[in-house]
Amino acid sequence: MQIIEGAGRWTAPAGAANDWVEHLRVPDLSVGTYCIPTGGLDDQSPHTEDEIYVVTAGRARIVTPDGAAEVGPGSVIFVPAGEEHRFEEVTEDLALLVVFGPAYGSRAPSLRDE
């Protein structure tokens, strides 16, 4: 067992547009916190791993090729590997607990991702 202190807690980005901190990494999953300030720009690219976001604070809109939805505290979002996604219209400082399966960056990109 391991208690992961601070996971999902808002942290103001220091000198960057957003803040990403990985808290735990094992071969089959990783856990981190992603923070985007009010009015901030989410500049991430699709990942090679499946991903779950749990909104712990703030409000925004998530946009994918299949649609868009308003999200806030308690929202849980599944994004399959390779799917374009972005948080837009961040109206309150956004804190996201992020779970990747397998661990973030552990899958090599396919030829179609390059």
Side-chain angles (χ1 to χ4, degrees), residues 65-97:
D66 292 331
E70 301 295 322
V71 297
S75 297
V76 178
I77 306 138
F78 170 70
V79 179
E83 183 173 82
E84 290 276 346
H85 60 287
R86 189 153 330 290
F87 290 94
E88 298 182 346
E89 301 172 25
V90 180
T91 59
E92 295 176 19
D93 291 343
L94 189 64
L96 303 155
L97 179 66

Side-chain angles (χ1 to χ4, degrees), residues 17-39:
N18 306 319
D19 186 56
W20 163 252
V21 175
E22 186 174 69
H23 304 289
L24 172 75
R25 172 180 284 269
V26 295
D28 291 333
L29 67 88
S30 60
V31 176
T33 302
Y34 185 42
C35 296
I36 306 170
T38 301

Side-chain angles (χ1 to χ4, degrees), residues 25-71:
R25 172 180 284 269
V26 295
D28 291 333
L29 67 88
S30 60
V31 176
T33 302
Y34 185 42
C35 296
I36 306 170
T38 301
L41 174 67
D42 179 12
D43 57 359
Q44 66 180 313
S45 299
H47 314 294
T48 55
E49 300 78 29
D50 290 332
E51 183 176 19
I52 291 177
Y53 290 101
V54 179
V55 180
T56 59
R59 299 203 175 276
R61 182 174 182 79
I62 187 164
V63 178
T64 72
D66 292 331
E70 301 295 322
V71 297

